[in-house]
Amino acid sequence: MTFSLRLRAAIVSVVLFAAFIGVWHLATRSAGPATNMSPEYAKLMGLTATQGKSAMPGPLDVGAKLWEHLRRPFYDNGPNDKGLGIQLAYSIGRVGLGYLIAVLVAIPLGFLVGMSPLISKALDPFIQVLKPISPLAWMPLALYTIKDSSISAIFVIFICSVWPMLLNTAFGVAGVRKEWINVARTLEVGTVRRAFTVILPAAAPTILTGMRISIGIAWLVIVAAEMLVGGTGIGYFVWNEWNNLSITNVIIAILLIGIVGMLLDQILARFTRMVTFPE
Amino acid sequence: MTDKFISIEGIARRYPGAGGGTTTVFEDLWLSMARGEFGCVIGHSGCGKTTVLNILAGLDEPSEGAVIVDGQAIEGTSLDRAVIFQSHALLPWRTVLGNVAYAVSSKWRKWDGARVKAHAQKFIDLVGLTGSEHKRPSELSGGMKQRVGIARALSITPKIMLMDEPFSALDALTRGTLQDEVRRICLETGQTAFMITHDVDEAIYLADKIFLMTNGPGAVLAEIVENPLPKDRGRIDLHRHPYYYALRNHIIDFLVSRSKSFAATATGHDPRNVPTVRPGLPELAIASEAKPSTQTSWPGLSRPSTSS
């Protein structure tokens, strides 16, 4: 009896997931009330001591809490108690805005760098120095100059997503097959029309690969940036729940960050497939 | 030659070589073609054939000399000179119709979509791709891709069609069919064509004039061979023609030995007035030198007499 590879892989995935949940459950189950402890001290220690409950939430606790969140994703009880949907929306909004500005800057600039060897050589030292800077290192400078924490976070997203897009666009544009350019040249196609009808479609898969790398980095960075600037967003939520010592909520946030990151990546992957044509 | 529709006048191509010197790929190249003629360049790799074609296309510039087409020195690329590329160079994100329409709309920018489409369709039909208009290049075979390349080149009704080994990547059968198509189209439309090839039989079948280039670096045009075979020759019985082997042997001999030794042995070679030969005719000789050919008999052909 042989199943398709997909099915077999799915079965293994489910088994691994079940095993993980099982181990997690066993590791965090109640060990019974602590003995040999003075009742006064046990009261101070809370449930851990009085009922032997693990300090780490088990899968059932996380599942119940997750269900609670999913039922009310958009409630708003003031600055420190907002639904996860609202927090995620803030984060996605910041990422979207910073990323969009990065697209608007990086793609035209990448075209210029890719098409002009002079500009490419002239900008190269700046790009080489600016690219490896951790985006969070810009945060103090951004806060000092912009004087708005939310806009600073957007700036940090912009600065971290601009480089992969810029470099990939330049690489894709510079690497367009010479024959395609020659086709346009023999047809006396002007520079602007050539850029849109030959270079852009030819470089599109490379450009979108850069955009896909960028959205991944942007989503990594937003969590850290929001932990710093605070106020709203999923990063802030993680830090706030850590201050509340609600490990359950921290785990839920981690899970959701992963799922949203995967979705963003999949969206870009789909766009990449749409513009990729085999020769 | 009175009608010089294409006239290449003393072009050379030099690259800065290692150690401050210059490397000359070819030099002092003069050749001309009449309207409606089919010219083939044959020579070994490295003799600058492709560079000559690129200069004709305007994609490359000669280091010296000029090219005059239809009475005007060429400057850059032009829609008058269409190129069929060796690797077909179709845009993979466009369909067959899209690729041809791109050329059509580049030539006639004011045409509306329907007119462009109808014009493109005409040339897709001409190369026998009716029914494949909406396929993308990746869905086509190598031969079909090159047909699209031909349709794209023809659709802009160029004065000259330039072909850089267009069929070298194809299998023998497909190549044969496409040669037939190209010959048919060129004869029907009176198209002037200039082609680079490695394939001697292809040159014999297609060309009116075959330009033989010596080996590079420092390549020169050694000789112009006029095709003695009749205009209505067919690919199938080409080799039965009495002049076929004389012509073929002449070219092969050149490629095998004379292309190497030409520079050393040719005396008084005038690049502006390259000898024209017409193998297989009784007065077989290099026109300017009146030197008899070393080969004196051909299969299926009586010994050429010099006294007719």
Side-chain angles (χ1 to χ4, degrees):
Chain A
M1 196 167 59
T2 49
F3 297 113
S4 74
L5 183 67
R6 268 179 91 109
L7 186 61
R8 280 182 289 159
I11 291 170
V12 175
S13 296
V14 169
V15 169
L16 284 174
F17 182 70
F20 170 71
I21 297 290
V23 170
W24 182 13
H25 181 71
L26 289 178
T28 54
R29 79 197 148 140
S30 298
T35 45
N36 311 332
M37 194 184 278
S38 80
E40 298 277 313
Y41 186 56
K43 245 181 211 164
L44 273 175
M45 291 295 287
L47 293 177
T48 313
T50 53
Q51 293 175 16
K53 201 171 162 49
S54 166
M56 196 68 171
L60 294 175
D61 304 320
V62 173
K65 192 80 184 165
L66 182 63
W67 177 240
E68 213 177 286
H69 279 300
L70 289 179
R71 274 195 319 177
R72 294 175 63 220
F74 296 113
Y75 72 90
D76 187 352
N77 296 340
N80 278 334
D81 190 12
K82 290 188 205 305
L84 267 176
I86 292 180
Q87 306 286 29
L88 278 173
Y90 270 111
S91 297
I92 292 172
R94 284 191 189 116
V95 165
L97 199 55
Y99 184 77
L100 189 72
I101 298 169
V103 168
L104 294 179
V105 171
I107 290 178
L109 195 61
F111 249 79
L112 207 60
V113 172
M115 288 177 91
S116 157
L118 173 77
I119 305 240
S120 169
K121 279 208 186 327
L123 289 187
D124 188 58
F126 298 103
I127 294 173
Q128 295 301 333
V129 169
L130 292 174
K131 188 180 59 152
I133 297 172
S134 164
L136 292 173
W138 292 98
M139 187 61 98
L141 200 60
L143 288 170
Y144 181 70
T145 46
I146 301 171
K147 297 188 179 68
D148 180 300
S149 62
S150 195
I151 298 177
S152 297
I154 292 168
F155 170 78
V156 166
I157 294 303
F158 161 78
I159 205 87
C160 76
S161 26
V162 86
W163 308 116
M165 273 194 261
L166 178 64
L167 291 176
N168 262 49
T169 305
F171 180 74
V173 167
V176 173
R177 292 248 307 261
K178 190 112 206 289
E179 293 144 14
W180 294 339
I181 305 279
N182 280 347
V183 167
R185 283 178 67 197
T186 55
L187 293 174
E188 293 188 55
V189 174
T191 317
V192 176
R193 187 161 176 253
R194 193 197 304 171
F196 280 103
T197 57
V198 177
I199 296 172
L200 184 62
T206 322
I207 295 174
L208 270 148
T209 305
M211 290 174 69
R212 194 175 163 192
I213 298 169
S214 282
I215 198 82
I217 294 177
W219 189 245
L220 289 181
V221 167
I222 192 67
V223 174
E226 283 170 348
M227 283 182 179
L228 279 177
V229 298
T232 48
I234 193 72
Y236 166 73
F237 177 82
V238 172
W239 203 248
N240 202 28
E241 294 305 317
W242 161 238
N243 286 337
N244 291 342
L245 265 183
S246 170
I247 304 300
T248 315
N249 274 334
V250 170
I251 292 172
I252 287 169
I254 288 172
L255 183 70
L256 286 177
I257 290 167
I259 289 171
V260 172
M262 181 187 76
L263 290 178
L264 291 175
D265 187 63
Q266 290 303 309
I267 292 168
L268 266 296
R270 172 147 301 184
F271 283 146
T272 311
R273 276 198 296 279
M274 274 164 60
V275 298
T276 308
F277 295 96
E279 279 170 47
Chain B
M1 183 60 56
T2 47
D3 179 15
K4 285 187 178 179
F5 184 57
I6 306 176
S7 180
I8 294 181
E9 307 197 339
I11 60 168
R13 189 73 171 94
R14 299 179 212 284
Y15 294 102
T22 52
T23 310
T24 304
V25 184
F26 58 84
E27 60 184 345
D28 215 5
L29 192 80
W30 296 72
L31 66 82
S32 61
M33 277 171 59
R35 200 182 287 268
E37 256 186 335
F38 199 118
C40 261
V41 176
I42 287 193
H44 287 288
S45 302
C47 75
K49 303 186 296 285
T50 299
T51 313
V52 173
L53 186 122
N54 282 346
I55 289 171
L56 257 175
L59 293 169
D60 206 341
E61 280 179 10
S63 312
E64 286 164 25
V67 176
I68 293 164
V69 171
D70 205 9
Q72 268 200 320
I74 63 165
E75 219 169 282
T77 56
S78 159
L79 283 158
D80 289 340
R81 285 166 272 129
V83 184
I84 298 176
F85 296 88
Q86 183 175 7
S87 56
H88 60 76
L90 300 180
L91 307 176
W93 55 89
R94 284 175 181 266
T95 59
V96 169
L97 185 65
N99 267 285
V100 180
Y102 184 62
V104 175
S105 59
S106 300
K107 170 125 185 181
W108 295 283
R109 306 214 168 150
K110 295 206 174 86
W111 282 15
D112 58 60
R115 198 165 171 200
V116 167
K117 206 175 146 191
H119 186 87
Q121 185 67 49
K122 204 166 76 191
F123 287 88
I124 291 168
D125 297 342
L126 184 73
V127 296
L129 282 178
T130 318
S132 302
E133 297 86 354
H134 300 295
K135 289 187 179 159
R136 294 199 193 273
S138 57
E139 301 167 72
L140 303 177
S141 67
M144 288 163 92
K145 283 180 197 167
Q146 200 50 284
R147 279 171 196 265
V148 183
I150 295 168
R152 177 171 65 184
L154 286 168
S155 69
I156 57 171
T157 57
K159 288 179 179 171
I160 311 167
M161 210 154 73
L162 301 167
M163 294 175 262
D164 185 0
E165 300 189 37
F167 312 131
S168 62
L170 305 176
D171 65 274
L173 268 175
T174 316
R175 193 186 311 152
T177 344
L178 280 186
Q179 286 165 356
D180 290 343
E181 298 276 330
V182 164
R183 181 155 174 80
R184 176 180 63 85
I185 291 164
C186 284
L187 287 178
E188 274 172 16
T189 58
Q191 183 71 54
T192 313
F194 185 85
M195 177 164 167
I196 284 172
T197 182
H198 272 122
D199 182 342
V200 175
D201 287 314
E202 183 170 273
I204 293 174
Y205 177 47
L206 294 174
D208 302 313
K209 269 182 179 176
I210 300 160
F211 304 102
L212 301 180
M213 283 181 76
T214 62
N215 290 2
V220 294
L221 178 62
E223 196 172 280
I224 299 166
V225 178
E226 270 185 31
N227 194 334
L229 303 185
K231 265 273 188 205
D232 62 350
R233 56 189 175 263
R235 192 166 51 86
I236 307 300
D237 55 1
L238 193 67
H239 59 287
R240 296 191 202 286
H241 194 273
Y243 295 160
Y244 173 78
Y245 280 103
L247 176 61
R248 191 167 198 278
N249 291 344
H250 185 84
I251 298 171
I252 301 256
D253 282 344
F254 178 84
L255 287 177
V256 171
S257 56
R258 288 179 54 221
S259 64
K260 272 196 287 286
S261 61
F262 186 84
T265 55
T267 47
H269 179 71
D270 177 9
R272 292 194 67 154
N273 198 5
V274 172
T276 303
V277 291
R278 201 174 158 84
L281 285 189
E283 57 276 300
L284 174 92
I286 294 172
S288 57
E289 286 180 66
K291 191 174 80 181
S293 166
T294 47
Q295 185 161 13
T296 48
S297 75
W298 290 271
L301 183 70
S302 60
R303 191 185 158 172
S305 86
T306 48
S307 61
S308 60

